[in-house]
Amino acid sequence: MDIYQSDSVMQILSRVFKLHRRHLHELLQNYEVYPGQPPLLIRLSERDGQSQHELAAQMRVKPATLTVMITRMEKTGLLRRGADSKDQRVSRVYLTDKGHQATTAVKQALREIEETCLKGFLTEEKLLFRRLLLQMYENLKDIEEQTD
């Protein structure tokens, strides 16, 4: 289907997200950061040494999913795990030096992509677009809260 002929906002958003993800992946290939991993790097850059349980809750993923991601990122040298100093049953996750460098690259890539996405927008249009996206978020969040 021709994206320019679509009346579906969701179809257009879906295509935008696919292109966003593809370009982000291309920008981060040299850092061995793969799709799904940037949010984890950013969370750890905000507060290093979080427990796997805390990270899973923040990222809204199952602990098993996070464990697979962390294991893969350990193998590429981005993260390391360590036992909590007070409770040896708790596993904490830390960025390595390579992980810090990759996080800097992730943040720069996200800025570049956002700048590209919003190129040609007036300041007022950016603010309106943000407001509309937040309204969509709230509408969908309301549904989620009704089903809980």
Side-chain angles (χ1 to χ4, degrees):
M1 167 175 233
D2 181 8
I3 191 75
Y4 298 98
Q5 302 300 316
S6 178
D7 289 332
S8 170
V9 171
M10 293 302 125
Q11 241 178 8
I12 296 167
L13 275 175
S14 177
R15 296 269 183 101
V16 168
F17 291 144
K18 283 180 186 175
L19 285 172
H20 184 281
R21 187 175 173 120
R22 183 181 319 145
H23 291 306
L24 183 61
H25 178 66
E26 288 170 6
L27 289 170
L28 298 175
Q29 276 183 320
N30 293 337
Y31 296 91
E32 296 184 272
V33 175
Y34 300 99
Q37 295 177 350
L40 178 55
L41 291 172
I42 290 170
R43 295 265 176 344
L44 287 170
S45 75
E46 292 166 351
R47 190 165 63 89
D48 206 14
Q50 293 183 65
S51 72
Q52 287 187 223
H53 179 74
E54 292 169 320
L55 289 164
Q58 286 179 41
M59 295 176 63
R60 295 185 174 185
V61 297
K62 294 179 181 174
T65 301
L66 184 65
T67 298
V68 170
M69 185 184 303
I70 290 170
T71 299
R72 183 174 188 189
M73 293 172 80
E74 273 185 311
K75 287 179 184 173
T76 58
L78 296 170
L79 306 176
R80 69 174 179 80
R81 277 186 262 214
D84 184 277
S85 59
K86 295 178 180 131
D87 186 347
Q88 297 295 307
R89 297 169 297 173
V90 175
S91 179
R92 300 221 168 258
V93 183
Y94 302 90
L95 290 169
T96 62
D97 288 340
K98 182 178 177 180
H100 283 288
Q101 291 172 355
T103 302
T104 300
V106 164
K107 290 177 179 179
Q108 177 60 34
L110 288 170
R111 279 191 297 273
E112 286 177 27
I113 291 172
E114 183 166 327
E115 190 176 298
T116 299
C117 286
L118 299 175
K119 185 171 57 180
F121 282 53
L122 299 173
T123 301
E124 297 81 15
E125 292 170 328
K126 291 176 186 177
L127 291 170
L128 176 60
F129 184 61
R130 182 181 182 280
R131 188 187 71 72
L132 295 171
L133 287 173
L134 286 171
Q135 182 63 53
M136 290 172 69
Y137 172 81
E138 290 298 325
N139 293 343
L140 292 171
K141 192 174 170 193
D142 286 347
I143 295 170
E144 187 176 269
E145 288 172 2
Q146 290 171 7
T147 58
D148 286 341

